[in-house]
Amino acid sequence: MAERKSARCDAVVLAAGAGRRFGGRKLLASFEGRPLAAGALDAAFSAPVERVLLVTDGDGDLAAFARDHAQALGREADLEIVVTAHAAEGMGASLRAGVEALRSDPDGVFVFLGDMPRIPSGLSQALVRALAPDVDAVAPRFMERRGHPVLFGRACFPALQALGGDVGAREVLAALGDRLALVDSAEPGVLFDVDRPEDLA
């Protein structure tokens, strides 16, 4: 399988959810000594990307934290805050907003979830290596379960821009068949997310 060696990618971090199962906003809740969103931002900035787009519902505190975090990493110029007026529709609408906000024409876009703080380091590089000419998207897999983040190739962008509601990109991935590549990961962090307050422990 030929490798697309010079893939140019951006990252979208989805952070516009209302956190209903958590009981309210959660991304600034403390997880292992720092705000929950820090883990997803770290993973996005450590990926081989030119820009990181954080999709929010207009949460000013979250945006301020993200800017401070990016500045601490020396990446403040690479962060863009995308505010969606359709956050209440669900994850699909937020993902649509992130992809629509891409200013360049990247070969791929990573999609990170703001409530997934344990994405293993080095995983994103493995996903890029698997984005070959006959592959339209790449996702990690842990113990036969598909995880996150997902790297979508440019061929998926029109489908992502047509998303709505709360289904996210599941249907887009399901339609890819063998054009979805799965990269095995030894780390359960590709599945771990924080839905409820007890998950913070």
Side-chain angles (χ1 to χ4, degrees):
M1 185 167 61
E3 183 180 318
R4 186 181 289 141
K5 293 187 180 298
S6 58
R8 292 174 50 254
C9 298
D10 286 336
V12 168
V13 180
L14 299 181
R20 292 182 185 88
R21 284 182 287 179
F22 189 83
R25 299 190 181 277
K26 62 184 175 181
L27 294 182
L28 294 180
S30 180
F31 177 79
E32 298 181 345
R34 60 184 191 154
L36 174 61
L41 288 168
D42 281 347
F45 279 115
S46 69
V49 300
E50 296 181 1
R51 296 170 61 247
V52 172
L53 292 81
L54 181 74
V55 182
T56 80
D57 63 352
D59 185 336
D61 291 337
L62 178 59
F65 166 73
R67 291 190 182 99
D68 288 345
H69 195 73
Q71 184 175 23
L73 297 173
R75 297 289 300 273
E76 62 269 31
D78 302 327
L79 174 69
E80 180 175 344
I81 307 296
V82 177
V83 177
T84 174
H86 305 289
E89 291 183 27
M91 188 183 296
S94 296
L95 180 50
R96 180 184 71 225
V99 175
E100 287 177 345
L102 295 173
R103 289 181 298 180
S104 60
D105 188 20
D107 297 309
V109 60
F110 286 93
V111 177
F112 292 88
L113 304 187
D115 62 358
M116 295 190 70
R118 291 180 173 166
I119 300 300
S121 62
L123 174 63
S124 57
Q125 287 80 1
L127 300 183
V128 168
R129 289 194 293 270
L131 188 63
D134 58 347
V135 170
D136 289 337
V138 187
R141 175 174 58 188
F142 177 77
M143 295 184 68
E144 303 305 316
R145 291 180 60 193
R146 189 178 73 228
H148 290 275
V150 177
L151 173 58
F152 291 96
R154 188 184 299 161
C156 295
F157 289 6
L160 296 176
Q161 290 173 323
L163 287 174
D166 198 32
V167 296
R170 288 192 299 269
E171 293 180 0
V172 176
L173 294 174
L176 292 179
D178 59 7
R179 295 189 70 83
L180 169 63
L182 296 174
V183 174
D184 286 316
S185 173
E187 299 292 335
V190 302
L191 303 178
F192 176 77
D193 64 354
V194 172
D195 282 333
R196 298 173 174 85
E198 52 266 32
D199 296 332
L200 293 172

